[in-house]
């Protein structure tokens, strides 16, 4: 009976976790984001980030998919190490991650973004990997007054992330 309970717990956990990185998956992200939006009010909202691993296709094409998987794992670790233990991190897809912070303070969000960028820089300086990591990050505090649905909020942050990606592209190349 004990083994059955352990097996069920492992199966349940694997339904919500990205197998490669160990962070939550898109399925769990969708559920959690909808809950956070539903529970928001004038006094209590949250903030979020969409993080894209810049140049991921080049890493895969140049060094192979095993190295690409390694880069994705390293990116997830940097993201987790840049946040508080209770912040929610999910792999949105391929080379994108979505973070939900339990704070509606713009300053706390900006500090988390800067800490993440600093940790990427530290990784690149201290790593002997054959690749460098770079993130494009879109971030925003959820505005309860706008009553955005999860898809609308995601599109909004996605737009911010792509604007950041364009700026980074010109800085890198």
């Amino acid at each position: 009976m004990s083994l059955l309970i352990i097996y069920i717990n492992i199966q349940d956990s694997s339904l919500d976790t990205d197998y490669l990185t160990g962070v939550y998956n898109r399925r769990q992200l969708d559920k959690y984001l909808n809950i956070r939006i539903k529970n928001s009010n004038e006094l209590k909202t949250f903030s979020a980030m969409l993080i894209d691993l810049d140049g991921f296709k080049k890493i895969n094409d140049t060094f192979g998919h095993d190295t690409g998987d390694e880069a994705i794992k390293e990116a997830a670790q940097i993201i987790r190490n840049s946040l508080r233990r209770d912040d929610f991190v999910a792999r949105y897809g391929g080379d994108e991650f979505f973070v939900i912070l339990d704070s509606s303070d713009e300053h706390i969000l900006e500090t988390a973004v800067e800490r993440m960028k600093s940790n990427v820089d530290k990784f690149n300086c201290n790593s002997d990997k054959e690749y460098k990591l770079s993130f494009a990050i879109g971030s925003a505090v959820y505005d309860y007054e706008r009553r955005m649905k999860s898809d609308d909020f995601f599109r909004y942050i996605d737009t911010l992330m792509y604007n950041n990606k364009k700026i980074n592209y010109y800085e890198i190349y």
Side-chain angles (χ1 to χ4, degrees), residues 26 29-38 46 92 98 142 147-157:
R26 171 77 184 269
L29 167 62
D30 291 342
K31 289 189 324 190
Y32 188 70
L33 183 57
N34 283 318
I35 289 168
R36 291 305 305 255
I37 289 173
K38 180 181 174 192
F46 62 95
Y92 179 74
F98 200 90
Y142 179 77
R147 307 268 204 264
M148 278 191 269
K149 304 280 188 224
S150 62
D151 289 346
D152 298 326
F153 185 57
F154 177 81
R155 275 192 290 279
Y156 174 65
I157 292 179

Side-chain angles (χ1 to χ4, degrees), residues 50-68:
L50 179 61
I51 303 159
D52 181 77
L53 180 55
D54 287 330
F56 179 66
K57 181 178 178 347
K58 187 175 181 180
I59 292 171
N60 266 341
D61 291 348
T62 305
F63 304 109
H65 290 282
D66 288 343
T67 302

